[in-house]
Amino acid sequence: MNAEGVITMLHGAGGTVMHDLVKNYIVKYFSGFSGAEIPLEALDDAAVIGDIVLKSDSHAVKPIFFPGGDIGRLAVSGTVNDIAVLGAEPYALACGFILEEGLTLSDFERILASMRQTCQEAGVGIITGDTKVVEKGSLGGCVINVSGIGKRTEALEKNLNVVKRFRSDFKARWILDSNLKPGDKIVLSGTIGDHGLAVLSAQEGLSFGSGIKSDVKPLNRLIQRLLGEVGGITAMKDPTRGGLADALNEFSEKSNVGILIYEDKIPMRNDVRAACEMLGLDPLEVGNEGKIVMGVVKEKAEEFLELLRTTDEGKEAEIIGEATKEFTGVAMQTVVGGKRIIPRPVGDPVPRIC
Ligand code: MG
């Protein structure tokens, strides 16, 4: 079947195919709005207008309940985290439901209770929204959009001042993908691949996933602590669709630096590693929903890692590499010796993970 000229599942999978769709179609029509400090075309995790961070994120995960989470927890966490990685604190959310005919009210209520719980963890509220219903089809129960706004905090100002102490030419007002400089250490907050494999196991009814749970959670409180108590963060992303490989390539491209990572430093559960090997998946390309990857000025990296490891979300954190001017793109020093190029993935190997 010739799929040219129509939307395919790859267009939503967070890799090169999706990036091309966003750039060649969406940005083409919506770019150039002069009011935004960080505009649409920056394609960062969220946009900035005045001192307000703005983000909208739709969630179409299949199935709507999976080990370690559900679509409601994912929808709140996804938007909260995209606002938080710019250094802002989310403070209000809007929620749009598209419900499929046949969804049980008990499942809907389970999702709502999960959203309320996640909002409480994040310290945000849903204050407006919308509900629509569509005929039975392929939604798999429901689709949820959560949009939100965030504001600057004292912790963000503190962090920017710490960076300026070591880098006098640092002018950024937010934590952006484009802020990385050669020498910055790359810090990863914990194990990769958990979310994608948990969803895949639920999609396929595979038994490998018995112990693997999604890491989905809001990270704004952790991020504010890191910014305020140690600081030194220059760039930050949540490595969701397309995984760590896509996030690092975003950093590299937008900051115009090379990134070298060390395979033996990348935290991964043994069952995730084994499942990826069995299924032929590259764990670097599998999505996460409760992790952050950051550039940190090298003078602060050790102190930063120490604090991160005292937290529940960051106890398995590692410095996994550094930014360099030696080459462009992303490369990995492998455990068997030698370097492997880490390209931007074509798309996340697991469909509909978020
Ligand atoms: Mg993001």
Side-chain angles (χ1 to χ4, degrees):
M1 193 170 67
N2 186 1
E4 207 150 304
V6 298
I7 296 291
T8 69
M9 291 305 288
L10 262 185
H11 284 112
T16 54
V17 177
M18 191 183 89
H19 285 279
D20 287 348
L21 177 77
V22 170
K23 272 187 195 150
N24 299 337
Y25 290 85
I26 298 169
V27 172
K28 177 178 155 189
Y29 286 94
F30 297 156
S31 66
F33 174 67
S34 59
E37 178 182 339
I38 310 296
L40 173 72
E41 53 267 37
L43 297 178
D44 215 305
D45 296 273
V48 176
I49 182 155
D51 275 347
I52 300 292
V53 172
L54 176 64
K55 174 65 186 179
S56 184
D57 206 337
S58 293
H59 297 270
V61 66
K62 186 174 112 182
I64 55 177
F65 300 101
F66 48 84
D70 57 78
I71 190 168
R73 182 170 180 78
L74 185 62
V76 172
S77 301
T79 299
V80 161
N81 291 345
D82 272 342
I83 291 169
V85 294
L86 264 78
E89 181 67 340
Y91 70 100
L93 303 178
C95 173
F97 292 102
I98 298 177
L99 308 176
E100 190 179 35
E101 187 186 17
L103 175 70
T104 65
L105 282 169
S106 65
D107 277 355
F108 186 41
E109 196 161 19
R110 211 175 132 193
I111 292 164
L112 294 172
S114 172
M115 292 178 83
R116 182 183 172 86
Q117 160 72 24
T118 314
C119 281
Q120 279 166 351
E121 285 172 43
V124 294
I126 293 171
I127 59 168
T128 184
D130 174 59
T131 307
K132 297 283 191 303
V133 178
V134 298
E135 299 86 346
K136 209 169 179 54
S138 63
L139 282 194
C142 66
V143 168
I144 303 177
N145 175 278
V146 172
S147 301
I149 48 175
K151 58 187 171 189
R152 299 182 72 77
T153 63
E154 232 169 83
L156 171 61
E157 309 298 349
K158 267 192 183 168
N159 176 82
L160 296 175
N161 286 331
V162 171
V163 176
K164 278 176 199 153
R165 228 191 295 150
F166 300 101
R167 200 193 287 167
S168 55
D169 62 343
F170 188 81
K171 297 233 162 51
R173 290 198 335 122
W174 303 92
I175 315 293
L176 302 178
D177 297 348
S178 54
N179 289 346
L180 212 57
K181 281 280 186 316
D184 286 357
K185 294 293 181 187
I186 306 295
V187 180
L188 177 62
S189 67
T191 57
I192 59 166
D194 306 41
H195 175 74
L197 284 184
V199 173
L200 183 66
S201 74
Q203 284 174 354
E204 306 288 339
L206 297 171
S207 56
F208 70 80
S210 54
I212 303 175
K213 284 194 168 61
S214 168
D215 54 357
V216 57
K217 63 170 58 165
L219 297 167
N220 56 312
R221 288 189 159 152
L222 169 73
I223 290 171
Q224 287 296 313
R225 263 196 81 184
L226 297 172
L227 293 167
E229 289 181 33
V230 178
I233 303 175
T234 58
M236 177 157 46
K237 287 196 90 61
D238 50 340
T240 54
R241 275 177 302 180
L244 187 62
D246 196 68
L248 293 175
N249 273 283
E250 286 272 302
F251 279 161
S252 167
E253 231 173 72
K254 291 181 189 165
S255 296
N256 200 20
V257 294
I259 294 176
L260 178 64
I261 58 171
Y262 302 93
E263 188 174 19
D264 61 350
K265 289 290 180 196
I266 298 171
M268 207 184 314
R269 290 168 54 105
N270 284 331
D271 49 5
V272 167
R273 190 189 307 274
C276 281
E277 271 170 25
M278 185 178 82
L279 298 164
L281 303 177
D282 182 347
L284 294 178
E285 300 186 352
V286 176
N288 313 277
E289 294 290 343
K291 300 290 152 39
I292 36 173
V293 57
M294 295 152 282
V296 178
V297 291
K298 62 177 184 299
E299 294 84 352
K300 279 289 191 180
E302 286 298 334
E303 190 190 338
F304 188 87
L305 185 64
E306 235 169 78
L307 170 65
L308 188 48
R309 282 184 174 165
T310 65
T311 67
D312 193 43
E313 300 91 335
K315 52 184 184 291
E316 289 164 306
E318 291 282 355
I319 296 173
I320 61 162
E322 61 255 341
T324 171
K325 54 178 185 301
E326 301 297 312
F327 56 85
T328 57
V330 181
M332 181 166 76
Q333 182 84 49
T334 65
V335 284
V336 292
K339 283 198 189 83
R340 167 159 92 83
I341 301 287
I342 307 296
R344 200 191 266 275
V346 173
D348 195 291
V350 187
R352 284 182 72 171
I353 60 161
C354 60

